[in-house]
Amino acid sequence: MFKSLLVFITFALVLVSFNHAPESAANEYIEQYKDLAVVEMYRTGIPASITLAQGLHESNYGLSKLALEANNHFGIKCKSWWTGKTYFHKDDDFDANGNLLESCFRAYRSTVDSYVDRSNFLMQSERYKHLFSISKDDYASWAYGLKESGYATDPQYAQKLIEKIIRYELYKYDQSEDPFRHLLKD
């Protein structure tokens, strides 16, 4: 009886810690990268909420192999013009016979480089150009626009981003003050 109770309690504790792990990881991720997302918002016009939601989603709260080993927090693939470091891992590319292939992803020196390159990637690509006419306060239109422009293959991509934005109140970072405002006054 005691042994069964101990096994049950241990199992319950494992389940509780597993269920709280994403919350804890999400909160740590947000705390670590919120300022960078705000800086990028003021540099580019991409809402900080979208940047954080994509970072959380694409990097599995900063815990994915791609994020940990290649500092790639946004799942950006190499593309033909990429001349930087690369990282190969299986994702969603298949050969003519339907076999899963290793995809070429961009690898970065730091997470900051990943954030900056992702912003530049969106700004410099014709397929995402229309997004920059959307207000930084309209995260839902940004989420749907990213999906419609082909950022991700997941049909639920926009909803997943919006869900994270609401769940973690990421929209509040879209209202953050410009961190460089004091430099512009002088």
Side-chain angles (χ1 to χ4, degrees):
M1 172 79 174
F2 179 73
K3 187 175 178 182
S4 296
L5 183 61
L6 187 58
V7 168
F8 175 77
I9 290 171
T10 302
F11 181 71
L13 288 173
V14 167
L15 280 179
V16 168
S17 66
F18 178 75
N19 288 335
H20 289 307
E23 287 300 311
S24 174
N27 291 328
E28 287 174 25
Y29 188 93
I30 294 162
E31 188 59 34
Q32 187 168 2
Y33 298 114
K34 66 183 181 188
D35 294 334
L36 180 54
V38 169
V39 166
E40 283 300 284
M41 176 176 68
Y42 278 98
R43 184 177 78 85
T44 67
I46 301 167
S49 60
I50 285 292
T51 298
L52 288 167
Q54 281 192 285
L56 285 164
H57 181 73
E58 297 286 345
S59 74
N60 190 33
Y61 310 99
L63 302 173
S64 72
K65 203 170 179 184
L66 187 60
L68 294 171
E69 294 181 10
N71 288 315
N72 187 329
H73 284 238
F74 298 97
I76 297 181
K77 292 186 177 175
C78 295
K79 306 293 182 203
S80 61
W81 63 87
W82 179 250
T83 59
K85 291 177 14 181
T86 59
Y87 179 85
F88 288 86
H89 113 98
K90 291 184 178 180
D91 182 47
D92 60 2
D93 292 323
F94 296 89
D95 67 14
N97 296 322
N99 298 313
L100 189 62
L101 299 171
E102 285 198 329
S103 300
C104 181
F105 287 88
R106 298 178 183 195
Y108 304 99
R109 188 174 40 89
S110 70
T111 303
V112 171
D113 292 340
S114 175
Y115 270 67
V116 170
D117 185 58
R118 177 283 202 147
S119 297
N120 292 343
F121 175 78
L122 292 177
M123 288 190 319
Q124 295 165 0
S125 176
E126 194 62 37
R127 70 173 14 180
Y128 302 112
K129 193 174 207 159
H130 70 281
L131 295 173
F132 292 90
S133 63
I134 301 170
S135 168
K136 70 175 179 63
D137 299 322
D138 189 356
Y139 62 80
S141 292
W142 269 88
Y144 284 107
L146 283 166
K147 172 57 189 136
E148 290 165 8
S149 299
Y151 191 92
T153 56
D154 181 353
Q156 300 301 311
Y157 190 73
Q159 292 90 333
K160 288 177 180 179
L161 295 182
I162 292 168
E163 212 172 82
K164 282 180 175 39
I165 290 168
I166 293 169
R167 180 178 191 161
Y168 300 113
E169 300 178 357
L170 302 178
Y171 48 80
K172 67 185 177 187
Y173 300 110
D174 297 339
Q175 305 307 314
S176 297
E177 290 188 22
D178 184 346
F180 300 109
R181 71 190 176 288
H182 65 281
L183 297 174
L184 300 174
K185 291 181 182 178
D186 296 336

